[in-house]
Amino acid sequence: MPSPNIPGLHRADLAVCRRMLREGSRSFHAAARLLPRSVRDAVTPFYAFCRMADDLVDARSASRWTLVHLRDRVDAMYAGTATDPVDRALGAVIRYAALPRPVIDTLLEGFAWEFDHRRYETLSDVTAYSVRVAGTVGVAVSCLMGERGATTLARACDLGVAMQLTNIARDVGEDARAGRLYLPRAWMRDAGLDPEAWLRSPSFTPGVGAVVKRLLDAANTMYRRADAGVTLLPPRCRLAIRAARRIYADIGREIAAAGYDSVSRRAFTSGPRKAVLVWRALVVRDTPGPGAHEPPLPEATPLVAAVAADGKGTPPANPDRGYSVLQPQEDSA
């Protein structure tokens, strides 16, 4: 049976995507529940595709053919010939909301960097990676809310980057034990660490803590840039974005409370703590930030420009400044 919110999106396919969201990211799931139903039904398949693609790329059997396979699946989504439940669901969203292809192509480029064993020497290198694997999510969510002006997309990308930098800071030990290093290598050398030697035998040291702190400081700068753009979003979507920002940023607080040791432990935000953060997001008053009209990050400029310029088939915004280009049927079953 089709979903009442998005033509072509079937309930069974959406149920698969919802389960992946619920099981794949408790933080994202908690924030997404605050979105109006129609927007949530559009965002959920996009997240499910990201989760599915990430799992495929991380699998031991992954190869370059994995990326070719993913691109073929994306081609089928845009052509309306997808067969996988997640692909069918996202295909319906793509066609209804006119999600620009550069968003997903840029995401796939981030996965390709994994296969290239790319080395991240500077913060700019890490930011460029974060734009691809997380800034794209922010841009996609903004588009699915019906907001694709360049300034709004730039702030949405900032939030995605901030969240990814937080994730990197949280997963230092887990990534290292899998042979991956996303901390800026130049920063590690500044702290007296040999990145290759440390990667062979990862352990927490004050030097590692100093690097993690620098990365969280950079994330906080990105969160502040993103805060400035919340008032550019449809009013009924703002609570979810404020909540997501607070929940993810709180992971950094947990890391700091542990002395920036994310090698021997993994920080998380508890359920009760999430509830407190959502309540705080609820009582915050939206005020335009001073950085609302800052240009996009240099690393994000090509993505923002491509999506903002892609007006082909873009549904018009509701004349009453509604919360979505999608039909507001959030109370439907």
Side-chain angles (χ1 to χ4, degrees), residues 25 27-28 31-32 47 126 129-131 133-135 137-138 141 155-171 215-216 218-224 226-227 239-252 255 297:
S25 174
S27 294
F28 194 88
Y47 173 85
V126 177
Y129 170 73
S130 299
V131 166
V133 300
V137 178
V141 170
R155 302 290 76 80
C157 193
D158 289 342
L159 182 57
V161 169
M163 291 177 172
Q164 183 62 23
L165 294 182
T166 300
N167 286 341
I168 291 171
R170 178 195 61 194
D171 297 338
L215 194 64
L216 288 174
N220 287 333
T221 297
M222 291 295 99
Y223 283 122
R224 287 191 291 272
D227 287 344
L239 173 59
I241 300 306
R242 291 198 305 268
R245 179 255 195 259
R246 286 176 176 272
I247 290 170
Y248 273 87
D250 198 64
I251 295 171
I255 295 170
L297 294 167

Side-chain angles (χ1 to χ4, degrees), residues 165-228:
L165 294 182
T166 300
N167 286 341
I168 291 171
R170 178 195 61 194
D171 297 338
V172 172
E174 182 178 315
D175 287 335
R177 288 185 284 274
R180 298 189 291 260
L181 180 62
Y182 299 102
L183 296 176
R185 290 171 182 252
W187 287 8
M188 296 188 75
R189 287 190 289 271
D190 290 346
L193 299 164
D194 180 330
E196 294 299 334
W198 182 84
L199 194 55
R200 287 192 295 271
S201 182
S203 62
F204 179 71
T205 67
V208 172
V211 175
V212 170
K213 181 182 184 303
R214 286 183 72 178
L215 194 64
L216 288 174
D217 288 343
N220 287 333
T221 297
M222 291 295 99
Y223 283 122
R224 287 191 291 272
R225 282 174 58 102
D227 287 344

Side-chain angles (χ1 to χ4, degrees), residues 5-17:
N5 295 317
I6 301 173
L9 176 58
H10 288 265
R11 294 179 189 271
D13 293 344
L14 183 57
V16 172
C17 297

Side-chain angles (χ1 to χ4, degrees), residues 97-111:
L99 184 66
R101 179 70 186 254
V103 177
I104 298 182
D105 284 344
T106 303
L107 173 68
L108 294 182
E109 185 179 27
F111 292 140

